[in-house]
Amino acid sequence: MSFLGFLLILFLIFVGIPLFKVGWKIYRMQKDAKKAFSQFNQQQQSRAEEFESQQRRQQQRQRRKSMGEYVEFEDINFAKQEPSNTQKTSSKKSYIKDEPLISDAEWEDIK
């Protein structure tokens, strides 16, 4: 039996231990791959949720901007009624009031 015991020990040393190491490495690689994929999936879900929340915020902003700002209007052409005689124009008032020009604020460089 000592010879069979010796063969069993040699078998374990030269075959069993390397098989165990290979199996352990495969197990660790599978575990690490599953962990990496789950982390990637969580990141993608968080990014998708963030994107959806940004979309909701933009839609809310667009709704707020559009609420109450658009007013339908009609173009009305005010044409000056020209009198038949040119001499009468000086005595009659114009039908359109002249409005003062509106100018923007003056530009000033800050130094």
Side-chain angles (χ1 to χ4, degrees), residues 6-110:
F6 181 71
L7 283 177
L8 183 61
I9 291 173
L10 287 176
F11 179 78
L12 286 175
I13 291 173
F14 291 109
V15 177
I17 294 175
L19 281 176
F20 177 76
K21 285 182 179 180
V22 169
W24 181 254
K25 286 182 181 180
I26 291 172
Y27 169 76
R28 291 299 301 166
M29 288 173 65
Q30 287 178 343
K31 189 175 180 180
D32 291 343
K34 286 180 184 179
K35 184 178 178 181
F37 281 117
S38 67
Q39 286 177 351
F40 178 75
N41 191 20
Q42 289 173 352
Q43 288 175 352
Q44 293 293 44
Q45 286 177 350
S46 66
R47 288 180 184 168
E49 290 171 359
E50 182 179 333
F51 179 74
E52 289 173 1
S53 67
Q54 286 177 353
Q55 290 294 327
R56 277 187 242 120
R57 278 188 255 135
Q58 286 179 353
Q59 288 175 354
Q60 289 173 353
R61 287 182 196 151
Q62 289 173 353
R63 286 184 199 139
R64 286 186 203 141
K65 286 180 183 177
S66 66
M67 289 176 63
E69 289 188 13
Y70 181 75
V71 177
E72 290 188 27
F73 64 94
E74 294 180 11
D75 288 331
I76 300 174
N77 293 329
F78 287 106
K80 289 186 178 182
Q81 295 179 355
E82 296 182 20
S84 59
N85 290 337
T86 56
Q87 295 173 352
K88 292 182 181 178
T89 56
S90 61
S91 63
K92 290 189 175 183
K93 294 182 179 178
S94 75
Y95 293 101
I96 299 175
K97 292 182 180 179
D98 291 332
E99 295 181 4
L101 296 176
I102 299 171
S103 64
D104 290 335
E106 304 256 340
W107 178 263
E108 208 174 297
D109 286 330
I110 298 174

